[in-house]
Amino acid sequence: MKYILLPILMFILFSNLCFAQPFKKSIDIGYYSLPPHSMNIQEAPAGAAISYLQENIFPESEYTISWKFLPFARVLSELRAGRIDCAILIAKTTKREQEFKYPDSYLYQTKNGLIVLKSSQLTEVVSLDHLKGMRLGHVVGSVRPKELEQLGVVFDNISGKDFTRRNIKKLEKNRIDAVYVPTLSHAKYEYGEMDETADVNFLPLPMIGGHKLYVVFRKDIPESILNDFNARNEQHFDEYLSYLQK
C-alpha cells in the first residue's frame, strides 16, 4: 500500500508547488538603437526605456521578457509578421495604426531638429522655407514630416544600425546638406559618444511638433497584456524623464 501512496503523495506535493508559483506571461520585445532611450551594450539591452519597462510595466515577478535588438526597419517588419509581440519607441502614422495596436498613452515626446556643420550658412531655423530643396540624411522606415516633404526636401535614407553616426559622417563628406533627427536627445547622445567628431550645430525645428513615441503591439496581442501596459503606464508616466536623466 505504501508503494502506491508514495507516488500519489509526491504528485500532490509537486502539484502544490507548481500552483504556488505565480503564472508569468512571456513577451518578446523588439528594440533598436536610440540612445539614451534604448541601446545594446555588450549584447544586452540598456537605456531609459528598457529600464522603465522592466521595472514598471513588465516586472520580472509577472513577465518573462525576451529582448530582440534589430535595425529600425527590421523591428517594424518583425512586428508586422507577428514574430515579436511589441516594439518600443515607435511614432504613430495612419499606416501603422492599421497594422499595429497602439496603447492609450505614449512613452516619450521627441523634439525634432537638424544637425548641420558649423561652417554651414544655416545657423537657425526661423522658417521652414530655409530648408527648401535641401538634401537631408535620415533612416529607412522612420517618420518624415509632411511639412518638409511639401517643401521638396529630399530625404537621403540609410538602413541598419548607428544611423545617426553614419549620417554625420556623410555630412562631413558633404554628401548631404544636413541630418534630420526626429529625436534631438538621441542625436546629442550619439554625437557625444563618437571618438572623432565633426564641428556641428544642433538646430531645433520648433515649427514642427515632436513625435510621440509609443510601445506598439501586434494586432492580435492578448487584451490582458495591453491592459497591463495601459494601467501601469498611466500610473508611472511622469517617471520616465527621471529614467532619461539617469
Side-chain angles (χ1 to χ4, degrees):
M1 184 70 176
K2 64 179 180 180
Y3 296 108
I4 298 174
L5 288 175
L6 184 60
I8 296 174
L9 291 172
M10 290 182 66
F11 175 77
I12 294 171
L13 179 61
F14 178 76
S15 299
N16 288 338
L17 287 173
C18 288
F19 285 114
Q21 300 296 320
F23 175 72
K24 294 176 72 170
K25 303 171 189 175
S26 296
I27 188 164
D28 294 332
I29 304 178
Y31 72 107
Y32 61 99
S33 180
L34 191 71
H37 304 275
S38 64
M39 52 194 126
N40 189 265
I41 299 178
Q42 296 180 348
E43 303 303 316
I50 305 292
S51 298
Y52 176 82
L53 291 175
Q54 287 182 151
E55 296 174 17
N56 297 314
I57 308 299
F58 304 119
E60 187 179 1
S61 59
E62 297 181 37
Y63 278 88
T64 300
I65 301 177
S66 178
W67 295 98
K68 311 289 186 183
F69 181 62
L70 302 163
F72 179 76
R74 179 85 183 281
V75 167
L76 294 181
S77 65
E78 290 293 289
L79 184 61
R80 196 175 291 117
R83 287 188 285 267
I84 54 177
D85 297 311
C86 66
I88 68 174
L89 303 167
I90 307 296
K92 183 182 288 188
T93 67
T94 302
K95 181 182 178 183
R96 290 176 189 169
E97 282 190 280
Q98 295 170 353
E99 297 174 322
F100 312 130
K101 185 169 286 187
Y102 280 78
D104 296 338
S105 56
Y106 61 91
L107 200 62
Y108 177 72
Q109 172 115 26
T110 69
K111 293 181 181 178
N112 298 265
L114 297 179
I115 305 174
V116 298
L117 294 174
K118 283 191 175 178
S119 57
S120 171
Q121 294 181 349
L122 187 65
T123 58
E124 183 183 10
V125 183
V126 295
S127 169
L128 290 181
D129 288 339
H130 295 161
L131 310 184
K132 277 185 178 179
M134 288 183 69
R135 191 175 192 86
L136 303 182
H138 199 23
V139 60
V140 170
S142 188
V143 174
R144 303 179 184 185
K146 293 179 180 178
E147 298 93 330
L148 296 183
E149 289 188 319
Q150 291 167 356
L151 290 173
V153 166
V154 176
F155 287 96
D156 192 328
N157 296 311
I158 60 174
S159 61
K161 302 173 183 177
D162 298 326
F163 47 84
T164 301
R165 302 185 194 198
R166 289 161 52 214
N167 268 325
I168 291 175
K169 293 295 183 183
K170 287 174 64 177
L171 182 63
E172 287 183 86
K173 297 175 181 178
N174 294 311
R175 292 168 55 191
I176 51 178
D177 301 310
V179 182
Y180 171 71
V181 288
T183 312
L184 273 175
S185 58
H186 160 65
K188 291 178 179 178
Y189 183 94
E190 286 283 272
Y191 179 77
E193 291 293 303
M194 292 177 66
D195 296 327
E196 298 179 7
T197 56
D199 289 329
V200 300
N201 285 327
F202 296 88
L203 309 180
L205 298 175
M207 58 289 298
I208 298 179
H211 302 295
K212 292 176 180 177
L213 300 183
Y214 291 79
V215 175
V216 182
F217 298 83
R218 57 181 168 87
K219 270 290 188 181
D220 57 349
I221 195 73
E223 284 297 318
S224 61
I225 294 179
L226 188 63
N227 291 339
D228 279 351
F229 180 89
N230 284 331
R232 291 168 181 169
N233 195 51
E234 181 180 4
Q235 180 183 355
H236 297 283
F237 180 78
D238 293 336
E239 299 173 28
Y240 185 75
L241 286 181
S242 64
Y243 280 84
L244 192 59
Q245 289 165 359
K246 292 177 185 178

